[in-house]
Amino acid sequence: MNWVVNNLGLIWSLTLDHIALAVPPIILGFLISIPIGWVANRYHASRGVLLTISGLLYTVPSLPLFIALPAILGTGILDPVNVVVGLTIYAVALMVRSVADALAAVDSGVRQAATAMGYSGWQGFWQVEFPLAGPVLLAGLRVVSVSTVSLVSIGSVIGVSSLGYLFLNGLQRNIVAEVISGIVATLVIAIVFDLILVAVGRILLPWAKADPSARQTRRRTAERALTGTVTS
Amino acid sequence: MIEFRTVTKQFPDGTVAVDALDLVIPARQTTVLVGSSGSGKTTILRMINRMVDKTSGDIEIDGEDIYSLNPVKLRRSIGYVMQNSGLLPHRKVVDNVATVPMLNGVKKADAREAALTLLDTVGLDRQLAERYPSQLSGGQQQRVGVARGLAADPNILLMDEPFGAVDPIVRAELQQELVRIQRELGKTIVFVTHDIDEAFLLGDQVVLLEKGGRIAQAGTPADILSKPASDFVATFIGADRGRRALRVEVVNGRSVVVDEDGRPTGVLQS
C-alpha cells in the first residue's frame, strides 16, 4: 500500500495518458465502422468478405502491429499515433460486425413504413434506421470500449506511456502493489467508460427501455458479436 | 381519381405480379382490392405511391402521370397505413403522427398540435400521446397508424391490410371507425384485404383479383353478390354456402331469413 500512496501522482498521470490513448480509437473505430457496416448489410455479396476481413484484422498480434505501423505511416517509433491507429484497427474489426448486425436487426416493416411516409434514402437512414440500430450499436460499442481500454497497455512495451508501464515496471522490479494498481486502474477506467456509454444510451435511446423486443435483439446480437470474433 | 392503364409489374425473379391491369379508382370513395396471397393486390397498392415501380403501362392520379413526379414528394402527399401499424418505435405516438407534416416542412409545434387533434379523430385518448408505440395495444397502434396516414391531409389514403393483425373484436371496432371517418372526410381510399367480408363492409367498389393481378370482377358489393361473374368469384365470396346462401321462410305469417343450415338470421321488414 505504501507504494501506491507514494506514487499516486504517477498512477494518476498514467491514468490520464491511458484515457487519452483509449478515447480516440473508440470514437474513430465507431465512425469508420458505420459506412463499412452499412455496405456489408446493404450489399449481400459484400457481407461475408467484409466481415471476414474485419474479423481477421482482430487476429493480427498487437505487438508486431505497433512495431510495423511506424514503417507504414512514417511516424516515429515512440509516436502515440501508432497506438491510436493500431487500436482503431482493432475497434473497426470488432465494430463492423456490430454495425452490420445492428442495421440488419431493424424491422423491415418499419423501414418500409419510413419509405411510404416519404423519407428519402438519406433521411431514412439517419432518422429511422440508425437510431433504431442504436441499442445493438451500443452493445457493440461497449465491447469495443472494454477491449480498447485493455489493449492500450501494450503500447507501453513500445514506450508509449500508459498504465501498462505499471505492469512492466512492477514485474521488472518485483513490486506486486505496482502491478496490482495498474490492473485496478485499468479496470476502473473500463468500468467508468462502460457506465458512461450506458448513461449516454439511456439519454439518447429512451424508447429502448420501453420496448422489450429491442432489449432481446440487443442481447442476442451482443452475444453474437463476442462469440463471432472469438471464433473467427 | 387513380387510373391504371395496361400496367404490368414483373419482379426481377421473373414473377409477373400484375399483368396488363386496367383499373379506375374513383375519387372520394373506398375501393377495396381483395384476393388471396399472390393476387398482386399489395403490389397494385404500392405502385400508386411508387414503393413498387411498374414495369410498363401508365399510372395517373387526377390525369397526371405519377412518373413525372418526384417519388419522395409523391409519397408525402399520399397517406399510407400498413399491417402491424409500421409505427416508428423510437418516436412517441404524437411524433409518429406529426412525422409526415414535419417532412413537408410544418413546424414541430404546429405539427404536434395537429397530431393531437387527429388522435381525437381516430378515437384515441390524448393521454397516450407521450407514450411509445410498444406501450400501446395492437388496436391502439393501428389507430395511431390511421391517424398518421391522415396527418398530411392527403386526398388519397392507401391501406394495406391495416386490420389484419388484430383480434376480431378490435377489427370490427376499427372497421366501424373507418366507416365513420370516411363519412366525415371523404378520402379516396384504396384498401387491400384478403377478407371478403371486410371488402363488402368497407368498399363502395370492390375489385376481386385472381392470380397475376387479373380482375375477376369489379363492382359494388351488391353487384358482385347478386351476379358473380365466374365460378371463381362465386367460390371466393362464398355465394353458394353458409350465411350468404340465404332464403326466406314464412313463420307465423312473417318472412324470416334463414341461412343454408336453416338458422334464422333476421326478419324481412315490409
Side-chain angles (χ1 to χ4, degrees):
Chain A
M1 276 324 275
N2 253 342
W3 185 92
V4 175
V5 175
N6 292 335
N7 291 280
L8 270 181
L10 174 70
I11 296 173
W12 179 242
S13 81
L14 289 173
T15 302
L16 292 182
D17 289 345
H18 202 97
I19 292 172
L21 283 171
V23 171
I26 297 172
I27 295 173
L28 288 172
F30 181 62
L31 295 179
I32 294 169
S33 302
I34 293 169
I36 302 177
W38 181 85
V39 171
N41 177 55
R42 178 72 177 73
Y43 301 101
H44 197 74
S46 69
R47 185 184 161 92
V49 178
L50 285 173
L51 293 189
T52 307
I53 292 174
S54 68
L56 283 175
L57 281 179
Y58 200 75
T59 65
V60 176
S62 46
L63 195 49
L65 180 68
F66 288 157
I67 293 166
L69 275 174
I72 301 167
L73 299 172
T75 42
I77 188 95
L78 290 178
D79 197 329
V81 168
N82 301 325
V83 176
V84 170
V85 171
L87 294 180
T88 302
I89 291 173
Y90 291 129
V92 169
L94 283 174
M95 199 63 205
V96 165
R97 178 180 287 272
S98 290
V99 173
D101 286 348
L103 292 175
V106 175
D107 180 12
S108 69
V110 174
R111 210 172 299 158
Q112 284 178 10
T115 308
M117 280 192 287
Y119 278 101
S120 66
W122 182 255
Q123 275 176 329
F125 178 77
W126 289 111
Q127 293 181 34
V128 180
E129 276 185 76
F130 189 68
L132 286 179
V136 182
L137 290 176
L138 179 66
L141 198 55
R142 288 173 68 184
V143 175
V144 169
S145 161
V146 171
S147 153
T148 305
V149 167
S150 71
L151 283 172
V152 164
S153 310
I154 296 165
S156 291
V157 180
I158 56 165
V160 178
S161 175
S162 74
L163 286 168
Y165 170 84
L166 297 180
F167 312 150
L168 291 174
N169 194 53
L171 276 175
Q172 279 162 7
R173 295 166 60 197
N174 214 3
I175 307 171
V176 178
E178 187 175 1
V179 174
I180 292 174
S181 57
I183 293 171
V184 171
T186 310
L187 273 176
V188 170
I189 294 175
I191 292 168
V192 169
F193 277 23
D194 199 54
L195 290 176
I196 291 172
L197 286 174
V198 171
V200 168
R202 288 262 165 83
I203 295 164
L204 292 182
L205 312 164
W207 55 274
K209 226 172 60 179
D211 190 350
S213 70
R215 207 174 311 158
Q216 271 174 18
T217 321
R218 188 163 68 231
R219 184 169 308 145
R220 258 200 314 273
T221 316
E223 279 164 9
R224 204 147 38 122
L226 278 172
T227 51
T229 35
V230 171
T231 51
S232 63
Chain B
M1 188 175 77
I2 307 166
E3 206 173 345
F4 285 78
R5 275 201 298 267
T6 48
V7 172
T8 295
K9 173 63 195 180
Q10 183 170 25
F11 283 105
D13 66 357
T15 326
V16 178
V18 178
D19 191 9
L21 174 77
D22 285 297
L23 176 65
V24 173
I25 296 170
R28 300 192 159 269
Q29 290 192 6
T30 304
T31 297
V32 179
L33 307 178
V34 59
S36 2
S37 41
S39 64
K41 53 191 191 299
T42 296
T43 306
I44 296 172
L45 187 82
R46 291 185 171 184
M47 283 197 283
I48 298 172
N49 71 351
R50 290 185 60 183
M51 282 176 75
V52 170
D53 275 323
K54 64 174 186 185
T55 309
S56 65
D58 288 309
I59 307 170
E60 289 180 356
I61 294 176
D62 296 329
E64 192 170 16
D65 181 359
I66 61 168
Y67 280 79
S68 67
L69 306 166
N70 174 306
V72 170
K73 279 209 181 115
L74 173 75
R75 290 181 200 126
R76 287 180 193 171
S77 71
I78 296 176
Y80 196 93
V81 186
M82 58 199 286
Q83 197 174 9
N84 298 318
S85 80
L87 297 177
L88 305 179
H90 62 309
R91 298 262 172 89
K92 290 175 180 167
V93 164
V94 59
D95 295 318
N96 260 286
V97 178
T99 299
V100 185
M102 281 173 61
L103 285 171
N104 281 329
V106 176
K107 271 199 247 119
K108 186 168 182 176
D110 298 340
R112 281 181 129 237
E113 190 54 46
L116 291 176
T117 316
L118 271 166
L119 292 184
D120 301 339
T121 308
V122 298
L124 272 178
D125 195 331
R126 285 188 178 206
Q127 286 189 329
L128 300 175
E130 297 296 321
R131 299 227 188 135
Y132 288 103
S134 64
Q135 295 169 314
L136 266 52
S137 73
Q140 289 169 332
Q141 291 183 21
Q142 235 25 78
R143 283 172 195 262
V144 178
V146 174
R148 186 177 67 181
L150 293 168
D153 195 22
N155 293 326
I156 298 171
L157 187 61
L158 307 179
M159 308 185 82
D160 186 4
E161 302 204 37
F163 310 142
V166 293
D167 69 66
I169 295 168
V170 176
R171 188 182 312 149
E173 229 174 81
L174 291 168
Q175 288 167 343
Q176 289 309 326
E177 201 83 0
L178 182 64
V179 169
R180 177 185 64 76
I181 292 169
Q182 173 64 347
R183 207 183 301 130
E184 288 169 15
L185 302 179
K187 302 283 181 194
T188 305
I189 297 181
V190 189
F191 192 107
V192 162
T193 182
H194 57 258
D195 177 352
I196 188 68
D197 293 320
E198 188 169 61
F200 285 160
L201 176 68
L202 300 173
D204 298 308
Q205 179 186 220
V206 172
V207 179
L208 230 149
L209 296 159
E210 280 182 82
K211 255 205 155 22
R214 272 186 296 279
I215 298 178
Q217 188 171 4
T220 64
D223 277 343
I224 295 175
L225 268 172
S226 58
K227 221 173 31 171
S230 64
D231 288 348
F232 172 80
V233 175
T235 312
F236 197 93
I237 66 176
D240 53 348
R241 55 170 203 274
R243 57 201 173 77
R244 292 225 201 283
L246 304 175
R247 61 180 192 277
V248 174
E249 282 177 6
V250 177
V251 182
N252 297 327
R254 300 202 53 187
S255 301
V256 175
V257 181
V258 298
D259 68 10
E260 191 189 35
D261 303 323
R263 297 197 174 277
T265 65
V267 179
L268 285 186
Q269 304 292 312
S270 48

